[in-house]
Amino acid sequence: MNAHPVITVLAGNRPLVGMEELQREAEVRVTDDAGLPEALAGADILYLWDYFADGVRRAWPAADSLRWIHVPAAGVDKLMFPELVSSEVVLTNARGVFDRPMAEHVLGSMFHFAKNFGLASAQQRQRQWRHYATGDLAGASVLVAGTGSIGRCTARLLAAVGLRVDGTGRTARGGDADFGTIHASADFAAVAGAYDYVVLAAPLTPDTRGMLSREVLTAMKPTAVLINVGRGALADEAALEDALRGGALAGAALDVFETEPLPESSGLWELENVLVTPHLSGDSQNQLPALARQFADNLAAFKAGRPLANVVDKQLGFVVS
């Protein structure tokens, strides 16, 4: 139990929410990336409000009292450096906060392609009244790569509007509450060709990096659409661009990329069958207050000596259900 812990908050461009409450419960040091080493000395907790920051590994030698790191994000791949993984520092994430917004983003992306909203927007700009073909979502098949909380929320929402949803996970199994069938991730290429939509919602780990390979893309239907809301490095981006240019894939909705921001030189910008969004699939108007509440609840548990919620298995790189 620690009645008044020291919390180092790595701030970013987002407004800091919930700081008044934290300052009543702890000694709070707010810093930027450059000041992180000094602010970490003697700190019990590191609160990575700026979860895109790169300086934690550089500042790690100064973490002489650190017991807990909280990341208000779903993915923790940027923190999986050996010194942290092998340490006794507990790592938690924001599991649950982003599930519904990301599921809605996936569904919206499907409507974009099924109802040809991209063409509608282009014709509107040209003041053209021209009929075009659209498709149906009901009855379409979806493969969600990733059966964590984001993938499950996505599966439930898609099933509610009439899509048939399967998943891929570490092990194959049937009888799942949210997925019709869960295929083994190792069989991704073998099963991908059976689906109209493929959604990447897996955490980025050594096992999932590059999971959307040329082999998987070749196996997919030429009428299929890819949606990536996980991490850019889940996909072989060069192979994906080739597939989209060559007609091996009908389209892609991409919220994440190997390099972010997506460079102006990327060919993905110019493809009419690609929807580019700037890593915002998890955003919502309630996001920041929800993240602040989640950390405050875990801080209360920390101070009381109770188990923390959303503890990441640092060997696997994600929270185990």
Side-chain angles (χ1 to χ4, degrees), residues 94-126:
R95 177 185 170 94
V97 172
F98 304 99
D99 296 359
R100 179 69 186 205
M102 294 179 74
E104 291 180 0
H105 185 96
V106 170
L107 179 58
S109 298
M110 290 181 175
F111 277 122
H112 172 86
F113 284 99
K115 302 306 178 184
N116 221 338
F117 288 150
L119 178 58
S121 181
Q123 289 189 181
Q124 179 180 340
R125 290 193 298 271
Q126 297 296 321

Side-chain angles (χ1 to χ4, degrees), residues 101-160:
M102 294 179 74
E104 291 180 0
H105 185 96
V106 170
L107 179 58
S109 298
M110 290 181 175
F111 277 122
H112 172 86
F113 284 99
K115 302 306 178 184
N116 221 338
F117 288 150
L119 178 58
S121 181
Q123 289 189 181
Q124 179 180 340
R125 290 193 298 271
Q126 297 296 321
R127 300 176 184 269
Q128 293 178 343
W129 183 277
R130 183 180 300 163
H131 187 271
Y132 54 84
T134 66
D136 295 324
L137 283 185
S141 57
V142 187
L143 182 63
V144 178
T147 55
S149 64
I150 293 168
R152 288 185 176 278
C153 185
T154 299
R156 290 191 294 269
L157 181 60
L158 299 183

Side-chain angles (χ1 to χ4, degrees), residues 5 10 29 56 61 72 79 83 97 103 108 113 121 132 148 214 221 226 250 260 281 297 320:
L10 182 58
R29 305 171 180 172
V56 176
L79 287 173
E83 296 89 343
V97 172
F113 284 99
S121 181
Y132 54 84
R214 285 189 186 273
K221 295 179 180 180
L226 171 77
E260 295 182 4
S281 63
D297 290 345
V320 179

Side-chain angles (χ1 to χ4, degrees), residues 259 261-270:
T259 300
L262 182 64
E264 291 184 10
S265 59
S266 172
L268 293 170
W269 287 110
E270 66 192 29

Side-chain angles (χ1 to χ4, degrees), residues 2 19-20 27 40 57 68 91 115 135 152 213 216 218 225-226 239 250 301-304 307:
N2 192 334
M19 287 300 107
E20 290 184 6
E27 177 188 333
L40 262 183
R57 187 172 188 178
W68 169 32
L91 177 64
K115 302 306 178 184
R152 288 185 176 278
S213 61
V216 174
T218 300
V225 170
L226 171 77
F302 178 86
K303 293 179 66 176

